[in-house]
Amino acid sequence: MAVIVQKYGGTSVANLERIQNVARRVIKTKEDGNDVVVVLSAMAGETDRLVQMASSASGGTPDEREYDVLVSSGEQVSISLFSIVLKHMGYRAISLLGHQVKIHTSEIHSNARILKVDTELIYDELKKGRIVVIAGFQGVDKEGNITTLGRGGSDTSAVAIAASLKADYCEIFTDVDGVYTTDPNLYSKARKIKKISYDEMLSLAGAGAKVLHHRSVELAKTYGVPVYVKSSFSEDSGTLVTKEDKDMEREVVSGVAYDRDQAKITVAHVPDKPGVAARLFTPLSDHDINVDMIIQNASSEGYTDLTFTVSKKSIEKARKLLDTVAKEIGASLIDYDENISKISIVGVGMQTQSGVASKMFAALANEGINIQMISTSEIKISAVIEAKYTELAVRVLHDTFGLDQENGNNY
């Protein structure tokens, strides 16, 4: 008997009819002889509604503890409704919140990290023949406070539970039927990938691909959890996210990702001496602002310019922090630009293939797309460009590397 964890996103449980459809899918998995643990997100649009209510009630700055109590309630609705439906269909089920399972997290509200998942209660309920339905996105800290994992956190909940249970695999059901070479809503030539490595999926997720939350991929890689990305609206086999194998190495470039949630910050006339960069970035880190790409210009007469990117939602908080720090270190100018996007190509084959970067840059240049920043790793090349060229850049790079054809970009 296999242990299978299935996670369903908000669109999959958006209304009662869809909840019933998901219940039938879960029942089939159970009738095939498996123990089934189901992790649910809130119904589509519910978390946004709760976030807006919190903002309106507080003038835009809700208390962090109470905010988590509020926004976590959406999952309570979906798991209870789902369990009611399963029981009505004649199947034993039980719904459990994060603090009932004991999904232990750090104490950072709205962006907590899972530390440990207790499995005793889950195993006890499975032994009773029940389908266990768990609220995603939430946990509990050491003081007993409800915490949430950040948007997209239900993916992380599901993989963490699968890892703790040593489940045979984890299925993530969304509104798309797998991982594609790029966003199929942006480019009709996007091709579904049958199998992709953890590292490639992690790079795509970090570069803006929305199909899986990057923290869930990190956990899957760390604990070796096979993850299937599927659609709850079809019977397609989806995409397997797993450890790298020889088949994957054939692709030089596996996908193109984009991220419009980027803002560029330039701090000019920064004293070029030890400790100054730390003075700039430490306050951002202390306030949980993630810095993505960083460029430092060549020093001139003892001064330099620093340019880096953060998410757009962090820009106002970053602005307040940096205005203070810039004055303290004697920097003369801070420029903010939200009219940018990050475009990335990803592929394990880049580790052994030269010329990929030059081909990418030439393709963009041929379309008159200027590159403002560049970042590279062994399997990813990212470039910051003007936002209005996002769609064009995705299509051009997808065509340049022949991603509409399987194994089409072998050199």
Side-chain angles (χ1 to χ4, degrees):
M1 179 180 290
V3 177
I4 298 172
V5 176
Q6 296 183 335
K7 178 264 178 178
Y8 293 90
T11 55
S12 299
V13 293
N15 52 49
L16 186 56
E17 181 182 358
R18 290 187 178 181
I19 287 174
Q20 290 167 337
N21 288 336
V22 168
R24 284 188 280 269
R25 187 183 290 270
V26 170
I27 287 168
K28 182 181 184 306
T29 305
K30 176 67 174 175
E31 289 184 336
D32 286 342
N34 304 298
D35 282 334
V36 187
V37 177
V38 181
V39 178
L40 298 183
S41 297
M43 299 167 76
E46 181 64 10
T47 302
D48 288 336
R49 186 182 73 87
L50 294 170
V51 169
Q52 183 57 48
M53 287 178 64
S55 180
S56 298
S58 63
T61 55
D63 177 85
E64 292 181 343
R65 180 189 183 278
E66 305 308 330
Y67 174 89
D68 275 1
V69 173
L70 176 66
V71 299
S72 65
S73 66
E75 282 70 22
Q76 181 169 346
V77 172
S78 59
I79 64 169
S80 56
L81 271 176
F82 188 75
S83 297
I84 289 170
V85 167
L86 285 174
K87 291 178 180 180
H88 179 69
M89 291 179 170
Y91 288 82
R92 303 180 69 192
I94 184 169
S95 63
L96 297 170
L97 297 168
H99 70 271
Q100 293 174 305
V101 175
K102 284 292 191 296
I103 300 175
H104 301 272
T105 74
S106 62
E107 299 173 76
I108 301 174
H109 286 289
S110 303
N111 196 30
R113 290 190 171 269
I114 295 176
L115 305 176
K116 185 180 72 169
V117 177
D118 290 348
T119 58
E120 184 177 355
L121 178 58
I122 301 174
Y123 278 129
D124 285 347
E125 297 299 340
L126 290 175
K127 288 176 182 177
K128 295 174 184 177
R130 287 175 169 164
I131 297 169
V132 180
V133 186
I134 300 175
F137 178 60
Q138 62 181 246
V140 60
D141 69 16
K142 65 182 182 180
E143 301 298 328
N145 296 307
I146 293 172
T147 56
T148 61
L149 309 180
R151 300 306 293 267
S154 292
D155 288 353
T156 306
S157 300
V159 174
I161 291 166
S164 299
L165 292 172
K166 295 181 171 57
D168 292 79
Y169 54 87
C170 178
E171 296 177 312
I172 305 290
F173 289 90
T174 69
D175 53 358
V176 295
D177 60 354
V179 180
Y180 279 73
T181 49
T182 196
D183 182 355
N185 296 314
L186 196 69
Y187 198 23
S188 61
K189 288 186 178 181
R191 174 179 54 83
K192 189 173 69 176
I193 302 169
K194 295 178 182 177
K195 185 162 58 174
I196 190 169
S197 71
Y198 292 126
D199 285 338
E200 286 177 306
M201 190 67 247
L202 189 57
S203 291
L204 285 171
K210 305 299 183 185
V211 67
L212 276 180
H213 195 274
H214 67 92
R215 279 161 59 184
S216 70
V217 185
E218 288 175 350
L219 276 175
K221 178 184 177 182
T222 299
Y223 295 99
V225 178
V227 176
Y228 287 91
V229 181
K230 299 182 177 182
S231 170
S232 57
F233 306 113
S234 76
E235 297 300 323
D236 194 279
S237 58
T239 299
L240 171 61
V241 184
T242 186
K243 62 182 180 180
E244 185 179 323
D245 62 28
K246 293 181 180 179
D247 289 340
M248 297 173 187
E249 294 175 358
R250 297 174 187 168
E251 299 284 357
V252 175
V253 176
S254 297
V256 180
Y258 66 95
D259 187 358
R260 288 190 171 108
D261 181 31
Q262 292 282 306
K264 184 176 67 172
I265 301 174
T266 298
V267 184
H269 201 67
V270 177
D272 189 13
K273 57 185 180 182
V276 172
R279 291 277 301 279
L280 275 172
F281 293 117
T282 297
L284 300 179
S285 175
D286 290 344
H287 287 79
D288 205 30
I289 297 174
N290 182 52
V291 175
D292 186 8
M293 302 170 68
I294 304 173
I295 291 178
Q296 179 173 330
N297 293 339
S299 178
S300 176
E301 298 180 354
Y303 292 92
T304 186
D305 297 339
L306 275 169
T307 301
F308 52 95
T309 59
V310 299
S311 69
K312 285 182 180 177
K313 65 177 178 286
S314 301
I315 192 69
E316 288 306 317
K317 187 187 291 186
R319 190 191 301 269
K320 293 176 182 178
L321 294 169
L322 291 171
D323 284 348
T324 299
V325 177
K327 292 176 183 177
E328 292 175 355
I329 65 175
S332 62
L333 172 69
I334 302 181
D335 182 64
Y336 302 91
D337 183 3
E338 298 184 49
N339 188 34
I340 63 166
S341 286
K342 181 176 72 173
I343 305 294
S344 305
I345 58 172
V346 172
V348 292
M350 291 186 196
Q351 298 175 88
T352 56
Q353 182 65 52
S354 61
V356 180
S358 62
K359 190 170 185 177
M360 174 184 179
F361 301 152
L364 295 176
N366 288 338
E367 297 295 333
I369 301 173
N370 185 49
I371 297 173
Q372 301 178 20
M373 300 175 72
I374 298 169
S375 175
T376 65
S377 71
E378 286 188 330
I379 65 169
K380 182 175 71 172
I381 304 171
S382 299
V384 169
I385 62 173
E386 194 174 349
K388 68 179 181 180
Y389 293 116
T390 304
E391 186 172 340
L392 174 60
V394 168
R395 293 183 175 189
V396 166
L397 294 176
H398 197 275
D399 289 346
T400 296
F401 291 100
L403 298 185
D404 58 326
Q405 300 293 322
E406 191 169 0
N407 301 324
N409 60 85
N410 294 335
Y411 288 17

